[in-house]
Amino acid sequence: MTLAIYDTATRSVRDFEPLRPGHASVYLCGATPQAKPHIGHLRSGVAFDVLRRWLAASGFDVAFVRNVTDIDDKILTKAAENNRPWWEWVSTYEREFTKAYNLLGVLPPSVEPRATGHVTQMVEYMQRLIDAGFAYAAEGSVYFDVAAWSAAAGSDYGALSGNKVEEMEQGEGAISGKRGPQDFALWKAAKPGEPSWPTPWGAGRPGWHLECSAMSTFYLGGEFDIHCGGLDLQFPHHENEMAQSHAAGDGFARYWMHNHWVTMVGEKMSKSLGNVLAVENMLELVRPVELRYYLGSAHYRSVLEYSEDALTEAAAGYRRIEDFVQRATKHGEVPVGEWTPEFAAAMDDDIAVPKALAEVHNTVRAGNKALAAGEVDAALEIAASIRAMAGVLGVDPLDEQWATESSDSAMVTALDKLVQTELELRTSARASKDFATADAVRDRLAAAGITVTDTADGPTWQLNT
């Protein structure tokens, strides 16, 4: 089966046909580090990390570019409000994003370019657009001429977002020298107290949309395979990226993929709503691997509605996988094996992680039955298959990161062995209808702060916090 992905630009699921056979080029709009990351930010990182892992697992040589927007109106505003240099402010929170990505097992990108390091490429891009008649300079700024591009043959402005050109105002307000309200800034003229760089049209700083066109094409070429990002970037950011890139003569992205939001009580997470859930707060409730499992568990194009109950349920789901794999290792070595055909079919179906996870859990149930029946060789083979599938999703329980994710891991392992011994005694007592002994086991564990939950796959335990 061939990988098929939903392309936002065509509103259709299309077979993935890379520009170069065996090679996949991917650009992800990364962080604008103005504050600590919340799980809404990290969902994009996790979702497209899964895409990258599946492409690599499918045999592609993947070039994965994830940028950092390190100059932006919001960054400058936040830094000024806190009386800090803008470069210090953005560097501080860029480190926070990197830390969060690493904690959740998001693979580092092939390259992580910063906007301020690519002004030369932006100047070249603007010159190409001016020469083509689709951009103009005015009072030290440079604007993209939406009317000129919309009237040009081959123009597709509005196609990505589905908006009508006359309704696509950029939210920049009335600016002297700007020809039309739809025009957007490629370059912003210098203002007192703001950082600036010299250009042929005057000193200033980059416009948001220009940054990504310059960086993506510099590293991946004028045409590349997949452009990724959050749904909220579809307009104006990605629409404007596509317009200026096509107007400059670049083929740009062949496929567009957008992940949906994390919501809370039906509202998109944002700082203005005051419902931001910082990653560090979430890690007080669950382990990093469990948070990753939760953020990646829904289909990337579906809304992920946050609740603590949903987070706890996802963590329990991961622990069922982890519990089986760890129990299997007590009977022998568990290398990374092969995923099942059903898992591959789910991943090739627009990265359908919910279907893929259903297959993982079906396989876990089969593994538990094999262990219960004493079929050790079968159980070890199943565990190896689960490692392969979980690895694609970034949650392989035996991956070095998760096996050593905290200094307490050895203690947790030792505690698990003790608890499992107690649970085996309880299971045996219940089977022989010795309910007094079974209840005594539960009471001892409860007194130690351990909650036992009976599931269809057997009892699980959780340390109360």
Side-chain angles (χ1 to χ4, degrees):
M1 184 174 176
T2 302
L3 171 64
I5 56 179
Y6 182 85
D7 174 28
T8 306
T10 60
R11 307 294 193 276
S12 65
V13 176
R14 299 170 53 207
D15 286 348
F16 178 59
E17 298 178 357
L19 187 65
R20 290 167 45 200
H23 180 84
S25 47
V26 184
Y27 184 85
L28 171 61
C29 280
T32 301
Q34 53 164 314
K36 289 185 177 181
H38 58 65
I39 59 174
H41 297 130
L42 271 293
R43 187 187 183 191
S44 179
V46 170
F48 296 117
D49 183 62
V50 172
L51 167 70
R52 177 189 184 178
R53 287 170 182 262
W54 183 239
L55 286 168
S58 301
F60 289 97
D61 176 23
V62 184
F64 191 92
V65 180
R66 185 184 70 209
N67 80 295
V68 176
T69 297
D70 63 343
I71 189 71
D72 175 83
D73 291 344
K74 294 177 181 178
I75 290 171
L76 296 176
T77 298
K78 286 283 187 181
E81 289 174 353
N82 290 273
N83 196 31
R84 304 306 305 165
W86 70 273
W87 47 264
E88 178 196 63
W89 189 264
V90 74
S91 296
T92 297
Y93 291 108
E94 182 182 344
R95 289 192 296 273
E96 291 289 334
F97 271 84
T98 299
K99 177 183 175 182
Y101 286 135
N102 291 341
L103 278 170
L104 297 191
V106 174
L107 298 172
S110 306
V111 65
E112 192 167 29
R114 289 156 186 78
T116 56
H118 294 79
V119 171
T120 298
Q121 288 77 28
M122 296 179 206
V123 170
E124 291 172 352
Y125 225 97
M126 286 187 285
Q127 189 63 64
R128 288 166 61 191
L129 287 166
I130 290 172
D131 291 346
F134 299 123
Y136 58 92
E139 301 182 19
S141 295
V142 180
Y143 297 98
F144 183 79
D145 193 330
V146 170
W149 173 239
S150 299
S155 173
D156 51 2
Y157 194 55
L160 186 63
S161 62
N163 291 324
K164 296 180 180 179
V165 174
E166 61 271 18
E167 298 173 354
M168 293 165 67
E169 293 195 23
Q170 306 298 324
E172 297 177 352
I175 301 175
S176 177
K178 198 165 112 169
R179 295 175 183 172
Q182 288 82 21
D183 295 354
F184 55 88
L186 300 170
W187 190 259
K188 297 184 177 184
K191 295 180 181 178
E194 288 189 354
S196 63
W197 289 260
T199 77
W201 311 283
R205 59 182 176 87
W208 179 28
H209 317 302
L210 177 66
E211 297 173 352
C212 285
S213 287
M215 288 185 286
S216 61
T217 55
F218 179 74
Y219 289 100
L220 299 177
E223 185 175 11
F224 57 92
D225 293 318
I226 305 173
H227 195 312
C228 305
L231 185 64
D232 52 328
L233 300 180
Q234 191 172 337
F235 180 82
H237 187 46
H238 289 168
E239 187 76 74
N240 290 349
E241 272 189 70
M242 188 171 79
Q244 68 199 6
S245 301
H246 288 177
D250 288 334
F252 208 52
R254 293 161 62 87
Y255 300 82
W256 289 85
M257 298 179 72
H258 291 92
N259 68 279
H260 219 308
W261 303 320
V262 176
T263 61
M264 188 173 179
V265 197
E267 297 280 3
K268 175 180 177 288
M269 295 179 67
S270 67
K271 294 176 179 60
S272 61
L273 292 174
N275 61 4
V276 175
L277 296 174
V279 172
E280 61 185 6
N281 296 335
M282 295 297 94
L283 295 182
E284 294 178 0
L285 301 174
V286 294
R287 294 178 294 163
V289 66
E290 293 166 347
L291 180 57
R292 180 192 170 102
Y293 179 96
Y294 168 68
L295 290 175
S297 59
H299 194 283
Y300 76 93
R301 289 195 288 119
S302 299
V303 173
L304 181 62
E305 176 73 13
Y306 174 79
S307 72
E308 191 169 321
D309 286 345
L311 178 63
T312 301
E313 182 179 344
Y318 171 75
R319 286 196 296 272
R320 286 193 288 273
I321 300 170
E322 180 183 48
D323 175 68
F324 167 69
V325 172
Q326 289 181 343
R327 286 192 297 117
T329 63
K330 298 172 185 177
H331 298 277
E333 186 177 352
V334 180
V336 177
E338 299 291 334
W339 49 75
T340 68
E342 291 81 4
F343 178 86
M347 295 302 292
D348 279 339
D349 182 15
D350 193 30
I351 316 296
V353 172
K355 292 180 182 178
L357 278 174
E359 174 60 11
V360 172
H361 284 285
N362 286 338
T363 310
V364 167
R365 282 189 283 273
N368 282 324
K369 289 179 181 178
L371 279 181
E375 299 169 357
V376 173
D377 289 345
L380 290 174
E381 185 177 347
I382 289 170
S385 177
I386 288 169
R387 283 201 66 189
M389 294 185 285
V392 168
L393 303 178
V395 292
D396 173 10
L398 299 186
D399 182 271
E400 183 179 357
Q401 175 169 1
W402 309 131
T404 59
E405 69 180 8
S406 77
S407 59
D408 296 332
S409 59
M411 288 186 289
V412 171
T413 300
L415 178 60
D416 180 64
K417 290 180 179 179
L418 294 172
V419 174
Q420 290 299 337
T421 298
E422 287 286 272
L423 292 179
E424 287 170 7
L425 173 60
R426 177 173 173 269
T427 299
S428 177
R430 294 180 72 184
S432 60
K433 300 189 183 302
D434 183 0
F435 297 114
T437 298
D439 290 343
V441 170
R442 179 187 284 273
D443 292 343
R444 283 199 301 273
L445 293 174
I450 294 169
T451 298
V452 176
T453 303
D454 292 310
T455 74
D457 299 321
T460 62
W461 67 273
Q462 180 176 0
L463 187 64
N464 299 329
T465 58

